[in-house]
Amino acid sequence: MVAGGHRCEAALVLAAVRSAWERLSALGITDQPPGERRRIRLTNQSAVIGGVSCGSFAVAYAVAGWRYAAPMAANVVTVLLLAGALWLSKRGARTLSRVVVLLPVNLVVVVASMLLGGRVGFIYYFFLFAAVAFLLFSEEQWLLKWGFALFSMACSVFVRVLAPGDAELGRALGPVATAMLDLASALAVMGTAMFIVHLFTRDTALAEARLSEEHARSERLLLNILPAPISARLKEGGQSIADGFSEVTVLFADLVGFTELGERLRPTDLVALLNRVFSAFDDLAEELGLEKIKTIGDCYMVAAGLPEVNLDHTAAVARMALRMRHSLEHINEETGHTLHLRIGIHTGPVVAGVIGKRKFIYDLWGDTVNTASRMESSGIPDKIQVTREVYQRLRGGFEMEVRGTIPIKGKGEMETFLLKGEIGGADAV
């Protein structure tokens, strides 16, 4: 019971330490680019690590007695400056906070080495400080980066050449304590270096993972807008894309009664209904391997035979039309609405591609598109009207009905047919 209580208390303390560490690490981080956010975190973390280290030395010197008041004072001042670096980071003074992190830690080591003598091994810290300078400053701040690295190297040379080997305070430590302090300095530097590298590489790995997720999300969004082959070509060349196809089947479908329904429904309910209908059509298009082109108000456009050739494109679009009609019937039953579909289909040559610089869309042009649109607009609610070209490709596999010759805007008199269902299927009407 007691042991369990101690473990619980230890877990709470550890959680509090982690929480404080994360809060201090995040000081000053807002909407900066990922690389700059990593440098801010590392600056704050270096300030915390340096503050804990210098604070520990200050306590040790205080315990050792007033003889060590000078190095103790130097470490206390350094702790205050490192706390100031965190404050500067929080205020957005990022470059100044990095300077305040690196300058005092170099100087306190110089002071301690001169007071205690060169044998205590504080010189190891300068190699750590030189490496950290390369992590804290960006490539654009190359002068500060190299300046502080060279400053740390110069401090190491200064201490190596000028620090007395038999300083009075160093002699008071005794040979065993001096050797232990030398070893502790080396181990502390190696441990701190590994910890800082771990922090930096961890943040880098997390940033790369987030970047990968964002890239994947962007790719999915792009593929929802453009066919995969077209997307790949745009990313490679960035030029307008236009391809000619000798035979493609195009379908237009219009929701009859949707405008009148919009006068009775709230805008949010109207959009939700339209989204439900068109999402069901999207699922059908994906299942049948068709290419959704676009929606225009309450009109839905889909095609088959592009951007990759499909020899069965006309039959695939016919199945799509039949299943769209049944899908809308189910939605009407579930919602209580009475929407109807008017569908038109035509087969022929088109030009397909992407033009412009913004808000890309894979679109189709040509008389085939216009004719398919006319088949829809001149059609009958709940019927699928097709041209003779479609009739010739579907007869034998689908049940067709001759509608006769009717006037088509911009085309004159045209012979049209009604698609009833697939022979042997459950779609016949």
Side-chain angles (χ1 to χ4, degrees), residues 254-266:
D254 185 71
L255 287 171
V256 181
F258 188 78
T259 302
E260 293 77 7
L261 185 62
E263 296 175 357
R264 304 195 305 269
L265 294 179
R266 294 181 303 175

Side-chain angles (χ1 to χ4, degrees), residues 251 253 281 284 300 320-328 341:
L251 176 152
F281 293 170
L284 291 175
Y300 190 91
M320 174 77 179
L322 294 168
R323 295 178 64 176
M324 287 171 72
R325 193 169 59 185
H326 284 301
S327 178
L328 184 62
L341 269 182

Side-chain angles (χ1 to χ4, degrees), residues 311-331:
L311 299 179
D312 194 37
H313 56 87
T314 308
V317 171
R319 295 186 185 99
M320 174 77 179
L322 294 168
R323 295 178 64 176
M324 287 171 72
R325 193 169 59 185
H326 284 301
S327 178
L328 184 62
E329 290 174 0
H330 291 312
I331 292 174

Side-chain angles (χ1 to χ4, degrees), residues 135-252:
L135 298 177
L136 295 189
F137 295 105
S138 66
E139 291 300 320
E140 292 77 14
Q141 297 174 309
W142 62 271
L143 185 59
L144 286 169
K145 177 189 296 186
W146 282 96
F148 268 103
L150 293 174
F151 176 68
S152 296
M153 294 170 63
C155 288
S156 70
V157 173
F158 177 83
V159 168
R160 184 67 177 173
V161 173
L162 298 179
D166 58 348
E168 181 181 352
L169 289 179
R171 289 197 303 271
L173 288 173
V176 176
T178 301
M180 292 297 295
L181 191 57
D182 185 17
L183 178 61
S185 297
L187 293 176
V189 168
M190 287 189 288
T192 304
M194 289 187 291
F195 184 56
I196 288 177
V197 170
H198 162 71
L199 293 173
F200 191 81
T201 53
R202 185 193 64 175
D203 285 347
T204 301
L206 291 174
E208 290 174 347
R210 286 193 293 267
L211 184 62
S212 178
E213 290 174 1
E214 290 298 324
H215 177 72
R217 185 178 296 111
S218 299
E219 286 294 306
R220 288 194 297 271
L221 288 173
L222 187 59
L223 292 178
N224 279 336
I225 299 171
L226 300 173
I230 303 302
S231 172
R233 289 168 60 184
L234 272 178
K235 286 186 288 186
E236 289 175 1
Q239 302 296 321
S240 297
I241 293 175
D243 299 314
F245 295 89
S246 60
E247 191 173 286
V248 168
T249 300
V250 180
L251 176 152
F252 279 89

